Amino acid sequence: MEKRSLVSIADHSKEKILYLLEMAAEFEKKPNRHLLDEKVVATLFFEPSTRTRLSFETAANRLGARVIGFTDPKVTSSTKGESLYDTIMMVSSYADIIVMRHFLEGAARYASEIGKVPIVNAGDGANQHPSQTMLDLYSIYKTQGTLENLHIYMVGDLKYGRTVHSLLIAMSHFHPTFHFIAPDELKMPDEYKTFCKERGIPYYEHSQFDKDTIAGADILYMTRVQKERFTDLMEYERVKDVYILDKAMLSKTKENLRILHPLPRVNEIAYDVDSSEKAYYFQQAQNGLYARQAILCDVLGITLDQVKKDTNA
Ligand code: CP
């Protein structure tokens, strides 16, 4: 079988992204199917996760697959010195697909090069989180009715936040205007600003986060300051609470604004925002189930046509 990993959202064309969104919509209509009967999905989480792991495992279960894996590398033989190479080679012989989160940037690419089965990157260090991006795109499409010509405001830890890096690359197909709101220490890395410049994508940088700054947003993409990526915890303490969105800050925002957050949240969205109809982060997490069902099917070679024709619930 052709090996079809999902390592970086940059590996997908605009057409492929739209194709996967259409497949996700099919799964939202009917999540319980037998498309992955007799398949085994391995979830290898070398870093903590709630949503990504549980939604991938739910996606697999709802499609009839069985799931193996670990949630804590401390209970695996990596603590005895086993290499990632050996782990992937071995799990490749047990499972039909490997979903992996790893703390090293590039670990998923490496695994995809050596493994015998498709690898889905569930986050590699501060680099990429492509399955999150698919559910983010699905959420944006559902709430805005389009992905084209949107004003996307990214807020918080734009340096270490892998979700904003993946989202920026994916949105580049759809004529966005970006606003990057971050303290100096956590600004969007130069490589992503260069990426925008090379494609003629307008972006604006702000350090101020207030109701006037966000008044033009269609999507406000909040992020957590990624404590686990800091080498200097004093620096984390300085920046961790610099931007907190509260309900009063929404007073000038557009009617169609939706607030996204990959979650987990720490302090960056006050709980009073949850009751706003503009808060969409919990529905966004739910959309992860459908987006990940589409990803699992796609990497295993199941087509949109097959999903549409599937009546075997
Ligand atoms: N959004 C996300 O990756 O959440 P988890 O870390 O809980 O998987």
Side-chain angles (χ1 to χ4, degrees):
M1 188 187 78
E2 185 200 354
K3 195 148 63 81
R4 305 152 60 101
S5 295
L6 175 58
V7 172
S8 166
I9 202 69
D11 299 340
H12 278 347
S13 65
K14 177 177 181 175
E15 291 69 33
K16 184 62 186 275
I17 286 171
L18 293 172
Y19 170 93
L20 287 173
L21 296 183
E22 199 179 336
M23 203 190 283
E26 291 296 318
F27 286 120
E28 181 163 9
K29 283 185 237 164
K30 192 172 85 169
N32 296 321
R33 303 181 186 235
H34 291 282
L35 289 163
L36 298 188
D37 280 358
E38 299 179 18
K39 298 291 185 195
V40 174
V41 175
T43 55
L44 312 186
F45 278 71
F46 291 88
E47 276 197 331
S49 166
T50 297
R51 274 146 296 274
T52 308
R53 185 179 65 80
L54 291 178
S55 60
F56 264 120
E57 294 189 356
T58 305
N61 278 296
R62 288 197 181 277
L63 293 172
R66 277 163 288 181
V67 177
I68 60 168
F70 56 82
T71 59
D72 181 354
K74 285 205 226 49
V75 300
T76 73
S77 290
S78 63
T79 56
K80 303 176 200 162
E82 185 162 49
S83 65
L84 182 60
Y85 177 88
D86 285 2
T87 304
I88 295 297
M89 292 306 284
M90 197 230 3
V91 178
S92 284
S93 64
Y94 297 156
D96 299 288
I97 173 171
I98 296 174
V99 177
M100 184 177 81
R101 171 169 289 185
H102 202 281
F103 47 87
L104 287 179
E105 296 182 21
R109 178 72 66 200
Y110 175 68
S112 76
E113 285 164 1
I114 60 169
K116 292 178 285 187
V117 299
I119 304 288
V120 175
N121 182 5
D124 62 327
N127 187 30
Q128 287 274 316
H129 195 348
S131 70
Q132 176 72 43
T133 303
M134 288 310 305
L135 76 92
D136 292 343
L137 294 173
Y138 188 56
S139 300
I140 294 170
Y141 185 80
K142 277 177 68 178
T143 59
Q144 305 297 315
T146 181
L147 293 174
E148 293 286 347
N149 300 308
L150 295 172
H151 290 254
I152 309 285
Y153 286 55
M154 298 175 170
V155 182
D157 186 349
L158 307 187
K159 179 178 179 185
Y160 297 118
R162 56 193 171 201
T163 63
V164 289
H165 302 158
S166 290
L167 183 61
L168 179 149
I169 291 169
M171 285 304 302
S172 70
H173 297 296
F174 302 101
H175 310 100
T177 299
F178 289 122
H179 289 256
F180 304 140
I181 306 175
D184 279 350
E185 297 89 336
L186 300 176
K187 284 169 76 168
M188 184 62 81
D190 285 342
E191 65 180 286
Y192 294 102
K193 290 188 270 187
T194 303
F195 177 92
C196 289
K197 277 185 202 145
E198 285 172 354
R199 286 158 184 78
I201 297 170
Y203 70 83
Y204 303 90
E205 293 190 280
H206 312 263
S207 52
Q208 194 73 13
F209 181 52
D210 55 28
K211 60 176 76 166
D212 292 312
T213 315
I214 62 175
D218 299 308
I219 293 293
L220 191 59
Y221 196 96
M222 300 295 298
T223 63
R224 170 181 71 91
V225 177
Q226 308 267 306
K227 183 178 183 183
E228 64 274 30
R229 311 271 175 238
F230 281 75
T231 46
D232 177 356
L233 279 184
M234 292 294 283
E235 187 173 312
Y236 169 74
E237 291 297 327
R238 269 199 308 278
V239 296
K240 68 176 185 182
D241 288 330
V242 286
Y243 299 145
I244 298 176
L245 180 71
D246 61 30
K247 203 167 186 178
M249 284 179 67
L250 302 178
S251 61
K252 292 186 174 176
T253 54
K254 292 166 70 173
E255 202 61 35
N256 65 304
L257 171 77
R258 289 298 176 270
I259 302 156
L260 303 187
H261 190 312
L263 303 178
R265 91 172 125 184
V266 184
N267 283 330
E268 57 281 354
I269 300 180
Y271 281 87
D272 69 352
V273 177
D274 294 3
S275 60
S276 165
E277 63 186 21
K278 296 177 179 178
Y280 194 74
Y281 24 93
F282 293 120
Q283 296 98 315
Q284 178 189 3
Q286 181 180 338
N287 290 335
L289 169 61
Y290 317 124
R292 288 176 170 128
Q293 287 186 296
I295 290 167
L296 290 179
C297 283
D298 181 62
V299 297
L300 287 170
I302 295 167
T303 64
L304 174 60
D305 213 32
Q306 286 172 285
V307 174
K308 282 183 171 171
K309 286 188 180 138
D310 171 52
T311 51
N312 182 14

